[in-house]
Amino acid sequence: MERYRKKVLYSRDVIDERVKALAGQVSRDFSGKDLIVVGVLKGSFMFMADLIRAMTIPCTIDFIRLASYGSATVTSGKVRITKDIETPITGRDVLIVEDIIDTGLTLAFLKEKLLERNPRSLKFCTLIDKKHRRKVEFHSDYVGFDLDQGFVVGYGLDFDEKARYLPDVYVLEE
Ligand code: 5GP
């Protein structure tokens, strides 16, 4: 990562504002429902913690970890679950929280797998959506930021496991 310069793309204040707005939407939409929020590890951990804290409705939480075969920065499309959720989701309202949707391959796989368990509803919330990069059609119900280009780190997002701890989102520049 040393060969890149980091430029703040979304400051913590800007993130905070967007997360609060998303939490408001989620709270309205899931009011009175049996909500389970599932974070996709590791990238979503900070976003999910902030989102839940800003929500005004109760929920239970769980985590899932996925691995894609291939390099660290390019998704191959072959995805597998390396840590499954521990909560049954049949008949429940599930909100998946992800850091970034890029090609859409990861979440398209996850959606197919989770629908086999017959949740009452299955929705997706992503901090960052790189819509134009899709290789498969995938729609996220809640989006923090739309991003056209660039590789971003910080606020849970890594570059080779580095930079997750940073409180702002940075774009890497050569
Ligand atoms: P895809 O949608 O292509 O299947 O995969 C999305 C995953 O690729 C994200 O969860 C994330 O791990 C990784 N990814 C895609 N773009 C970026 C980026 O700009 N920064 C970081 N840190 N990870 C990214």
Side-chain angles (χ1 to χ4, degrees), residues 2-162:
E2 291 67 31
R3 51 188 265 254
Y4 298 100
R5 280 183 300 125
K6 294 198 308 290
K7 196 177 97 187
V8 174
L9 183 64
Y10 312 127
S11 69
R12 64 192 84 175
D13 292 345
V14 169
I15 295 169
D16 193 45
E17 208 173 292
R18 276 307 292 143
V19 171
K20 284 193 177 127
L22 288 175
Q25 268 178 277
V26 170
S27 302
R28 278 191 296 279
D29 295 353
F30 288 90
S31 173
K33 303 244 169 87
D34 183 15
L35 175 63
I36 167 163
V37 180
V38 175
V40 182
L41 293 171
K42 300 180 192 171
S44 70
F45 82 98
M46 227 181 250
F47 173 42
M48 177 158 149
D50 285 346
L51 184 73
I52 281 171
R53 271 181 289 189
M55 278 162 42
T56 55
I57 55 164
C59 65
T60 57
I61 64 159
D62 208 334
F63 293 95
I64 195 164
R65 184 139 165 78
L66 305 167
S68 101
Y69 301 88
S71 82
T73 52
V74 183
T75 312
S76 66
K78 291 199 195 95
V79 185
R80 68 200 154 97
I81 296 173
T82 57
K83 185 235 168 283
D84 206 343
I85 47 173
E86 287 150 23
T87 324
I89 57 167
T90 307
R92 303 187 65 187
D93 297 293
V94 181
L95 179 66
I96 304 294
V97 177
E98 172 68 305
D99 54 358
I100 298 188
I101 308 175
D102 187 24
T103 63
L105 289 163
T106 307
L107 288 192
F109 165 87
L110 183 61
K111 185 175 180 179
E112 197 186 302
K113 286 284 161 209
L114 294 183
L115 283 177
E116 287 169 8
R117 301 180 195 179
N118 298 312
R120 201 171 84 88
S121 67
L122 180 62
K123 303 274 186 203
F124 293 83
C125 174
T126 189
L127 178 68
I128 296 171
D129 198 351
K130 295 180 170 180
K131 287 196 179 75
H132 69 289
R133 300 243 320 154
R134 290 291 196 282
K135 286 187 181 156
V136 290
E137 211 176 300
F138 189 88
H139 169 75
S140 182
D141 305 278
Y142 306 92
V143 175
F145 302 95
D146 283 304
L147 182 61
D148 286 339
Q149 58 182 5
F151 192 85
V152 289
V153 299
Y155 195 62
L157 302 163
D158 77 313
F159 180 92
D160 200 16
E161 288 305 323
K162 297 183 190 83

